[in-house]
Amino acid sequence: MTATFTREQFEEACREFIDAAHQSASAYQALAGWSWKEHNALPGFGYMHRMITLNWRNLGSDDTCLHSDDDLEVEDDGTTAPHCSPDPLTCQQYVVLSATFCVPTFYFSIHGSSGSPLHLADIMKTSLLRKDVCEGTVATTFAISHPAMNFPLLSQGEHPTLGTPCWYLHPCETANAVEEILQASEERSGRPLTWIEAWLSVLSTVVDMQ
Amino acid sequence: MSAYGTTRHHGQQSASTTPASTTLFRRLTWEGTVPLEIRVDSKELPANSDRGLECYYIQAPRVSYLPLLMPEIRRFLMDVVFDEAAGKMLKEEEWWFESEEGTLLKWHWPIGLIYDNHTISASIRPSSQTSTSHHNLQVTPLKLILHLASPPTEKLLLSPSTESCKQAFMGQLKEADFIRWGNTKRMTGLRKPDQDGIWEGIKEHNFDDYWRVASKIVPTTAPARSSSPPPASSNPSMHTRPPSADPQSAPDRDGAYTVRSVPVRLYLPDGPVMQDVVSPTLEDGSAHTLAHYLSTHLPLLFPPAPYSGPELAYALIHGVLVPPDAEMAWLGACMAGADGWVSVCVGIAR
């Protein structure tokens, strides 16, 4: 069974997630810093947003300097060098409801210190996408595609509410994986995962959310 | 094309199984054009170019895209405006278009949609001098300013190339396929020559090339539907088969009225694009009409019946004022854009 969301269900799931993330004060950075935003005039176009800082990947294997914009403590495992790139990148991240596929979709844009959005070639050099995601894919200036996949893995699109140019991960494949994770979480004790939390953990196989 | 009477497979149609009225509207939609006046920003003309000739007029197909016009515009600029040295510096991937009022034009929108959206926005501006009656929508050229460099990358999608345009177009076709059936099997079932062929039909603006492939994925209205007039009986085989025995007019599993949702998008003058489930029939079994769709989504602009006040707003599809009793499923089969979507532009009556 694939879950689909109406706009009301999507808003409810996001608000439930944001509340749970605040209450649990989780150490998982993937859950931190998200807030609910609305279109300034029309109902039904709400989405989640957060802003994080990214670095270039080649600064030293998987080290990233990551701060969420509400100053939650970064988990320091002692191996992360404390210095940051002199040129930190700003990443706007959005969780938006796809009107066609009726599932949450991850949109983002990355800006350099000058404020200009990064081109795809540069995006692939940041720490945002996991290195193995691009194996077997073909990149153009406007998309990353895998020959076996029906839709590009990553392509350009306008943010459905803001209208600004973004990049987004195609939502088709994620919903089934989320169901598996939810079932596994039900079998464990403790608080069951919200749908959005499960979805973010699927997403984090592709995107470095921490 | 499949022969008449063979088993239909994934919506394959031959010319004789598509009602003549459906083909007529599809051809009218395809052949719609809008006038564009394109002028290079005078600040970007090189010093030794001929400034007196920098406007290019084109009657552009509604179903085409701005990047597909670029080769033609480039030839004009090379012939008439730029000398050879300046011409070599032209980089189409940095071109971008702006309306006279400073609106950035989206290269991934079909040209007809850009035109209608702009006409509507211009008509409601306080300084507008267009006719106050929307029934008198004048067809004036859309004046575009072409910039040759420094695209505003915070506001526009990157890379207006033919390739990126093709990918965006194919993506829209796949989404429309998904909206109709809950899967994209019809699109992914197309062989590569067909997938390329449907885009070639757009590039070359060839109706037959486009519909040779599109007829495999776009549902049609069956001949027995009461909403379409009976087809011209020029095909002798149609005389011999009563409609009830005709497999093509039986409840058609690939027909326009059996889709789970019609691909429709609603465009207001400003604001996000609205997209929701549009079922072909309503709960009471009646056909979902444009009037019902509009009054459900924009009840303040299209008050539901009974309403006898003045008209507050109007809806254009391909520049046409579509009658309110038009059926959404029929629109999806006969007046969709080439990308598979019925784009409804809402204007405010003055």
Side-chain angles (χ1 to χ4, degrees):
Chain A
M1 186 200 77
T2 311
T4 56
F5 289 77
T6 63
R7 292 185 196 279
E8 293 80 14
Q9 289 168 335
F10 174 69
E11 178 171 346
E12 196 185 310
C14 289
R15 290 191 186 280
E16 178 194 29
F17 160 74
I18 290 170
D19 287 343
H22 282 150
Q23 282 169 30
S24 68
S26 171
Y28 295 116
Q29 287 302 300
L31 308 185
W34 294 96
S35 58
W36 179 256
K37 304 279 191 204
E38 295 259 357
H39 186 269
N40 54 22
L42 288 172
F45 283 93
Y47 58 94
M48 290 205 298
H49 168 259
R50 76 170 182 178
M51 188 186 75
I52 63 167
T53 309
L54 287 180
N55 270 314
W56 300 104
R57 188 184 287 134
N58 57 13
L59 259 201
S61 68
D62 292 324
D63 292 352
T64 56
C65 247
L66 183 64
H67 308 281
S68 69
D69 64 357
D70 60 355
D71 288 326
L72 283 183
E73 187 110 347
V74 177
E75 276 287 287
D76 183 6
D77 62 1
T79 64
T80 310
H83 78 280
C84 291
S85 157
D87 197 14
L89 307 165
T90 311
C91 182
Q92 308 289 347
Q93 301 186 336
Y94 308 95
V95 178
V96 162
L97 182 66
S98 161
T100 296
F101 300 101
C102 301
V103 291
T105 306
F106 181 69
Y107 278 65
F108 66 91
S109 62
I110 307 180
H111 300 260
S113 51
S114 63
S116 300
L118 260 56
H119 289 256
L120 188 56
D122 288 333
I123 289 175
M124 289 166 72
K125 293 180 199 155
T126 69
S127 51
L128 183 72
L129 296 175
R130 294 207 182 272
K131 274 185 276 192
D132 55 358
V133 164
C134 297
E135 272 163 31
T137 60
V138 173
T140 59
T141 56
F142 49 88
I144 299 175
S145 309
H146 194 285
M149 283 170 58
N150 190 12
F151 288 91
L153 173 69
L154 178 71
S155 49
Q156 295 187 83
E158 287 189 325
H159 189 290
T161 305
L162 300 172
T164 49
C166 289
W167 298 91
Y168 70 99
L169 290 174
H170 205 276
C172 249
E173 315 288 322
T174 46
N176 287 329
V178 173
E179 291 306 311
E180 289 177 18
I181 292 190
L182 283 177
Q183 278 176 7
S185 108
E186 265 164 45
E187 289 151 19
R188 288 193 329 252
S189 57
R191 178 178 69 78
L193 285 179
T194 64
W195 202 96
I196 300 282
E197 282 170 327
W199 178 77
L200 281 173
S201 60
V202 172
L203 192 62
S204 59
T205 60
V206 173
V207 175
D208 190 344
M209 300 295 287
Q210 296 184 236
Chain B
M1 302 225 182
S2 63
Y4 183 76
T6 54
T7 308
R8 289 180 56 150
H9 178 67
H10 280 317
Q12 243 178 9
Q13 303 153 27
S14 69
S16 59
T17 61
T18 306
S21 60
T22 300
T23 306
L24 170 66
F25 279 94
R26 287 175 175 176
R27 192 174 276 280
L28 288 172
T29 301
W30 182 265
E31 292 178 357
T33 58
V34 293
L36 303 179
E37 178 193 295
I38 300 171
R39 166 169 75 78
V40 175
D41 185 2
S42 54
K43 299 191 282 298
E44 295 177 44
L45 289 172
N48 48 3
S49 63
D50 192 334
R51 283 168 192 273
L53 296 166
E54 79 265 15
C55 257
Y56 184 63
Y57 295 88
I58 179 172
Q59 197 73 21
R62 280 177 162 275
V63 300
S64 187
Y65 295 87
L66 288 174
L68 297 182
L69 302 183
M70 286 180 185
E72 186 177 342
I73 297 171
R74 187 199 178 95
R75 278 194 297 276
F76 164 77
L77 292 176
M78 293 295 294
D79 283 346
V80 172
V81 179
F82 291 132
D83 66 12
E84 213 175 306
K88 283 202 169 78
M89 311 269 292
L90 291 177
K91 280 196 228 164
E92 277 137 60
E93 61 273 17
E94 306 220 337
W95 289 11
W96 53 286
F97 294 87
E98 188 182 32
S99 73
E100 277 193 322
E101 299 85 8
T103 313
L104 292 176
L105 298 188
K106 299 174 198 274
W107 59 258
H108 59 291
W109 278 19
I111 291 174
L113 179 59
I114 294 175
Y115 183 90
D116 290 340
N117 188 251
H118 177 269
T119 305
I120 285 171
S121 296
S123 73
I124 58 179
R125 251 175 223 112
S127 57
S128 166
Q129 293 179 359
T130 56
S131 160
T132 53
S133 163
H134 68 268
H135 292 290
N136 234 355
L137 283 169
Q138 293 164 5
V139 182
T140 56
L142 174 58
K143 295 184 178 177
L144 306 185
I145 301 165
L146 168 60
H147 296 273
L148 305 173
S150 308
T153 49
E154 326 76 49
K155 295 185 197 154
L156 270 186
L157 297 185
L158 303 169
S159 318
S161 62
T162 306
E163 275 311 304
S164 63
C165 204
K166 174 182 181 181
Q167 188 175 86
F169 173 78
M170 298 304 286
Q172 291 307 311
L173 281 181
K174 288 174 191 170
E175 286 198 28
D177 203 23
F178 185 88
I179 292 269
R180 292 186 197 109
W181 310 110
N183 61 64
T184 56
K185 286 185 199 153
R186 284 161 184 74
M187 280 297 297
T188 52
L190 291 176
R191 295 167 305 135
K192 183 93 174 41
D194 278 348
Q195 293 197 21
D196 293 339
I198 198 171
W199 175 247
E200 285 301 308
I202 299 284
K203 269 175 63 181
E204 306 303 317
H205 196 61
N206 185 305
F207 177 85
D208 292 320
D209 285 350
Y210 171 83
W211 278 104
R212 179 171 303 124
V213 183
S215 58
K216 298 178 185 176
I217 50 179
V218 179
T220 187
T221 52
R225 284 293 306 181
S226 56
S227 57
S228 62
S233 38
S234 54
N235 185 332
S237 58
M238 288 181 96
H239 280 300
T240 60
R241 303 172 73 123
S244 56
D246 185 336
Q248 262 68 11
S249 68
D252 185 352
R253 63 192 167 88
D254 284 345
Y257 290 77
T258 57
V259 297
R260 61 174 200 154
S261 176
V262 182
V264 183
R265 288 182 175 138
L266 196 54
Y267 295 81
L268 292 164
D270 289 305
V273 180
M274 300 174 75
Q275 180 189 326
D276 268 314
V277 174
V278 180
S279 50
T281 49
L282 302 173
E283 274 175 16
D284 61 4
S286 65
H288 192 161
T289 60
L290 183 62
H292 185 273
Y293 171 74
L294 291 170
S295 62
T296 310
H297 287 82
L298 299 170
L300 297 178
L301 291 176
F302 298 95
Y307 171 73
S308 52
E311 202 173 58
L312 303 167
Y314 58 95
L316 293 181
I317 302 176
H318 295 295
V320 171
L321 276 168
V322 177
D325 57 350
E327 297 174 0
M328 301 308 289
W330 183 89
L331 291 170
C334 301
M335 281 186 73
D339 60 4
W341 289 82
V342 178
S343 298
V344 182
C345 292
V346 173
I348 312 297
R350 296 180 72 193

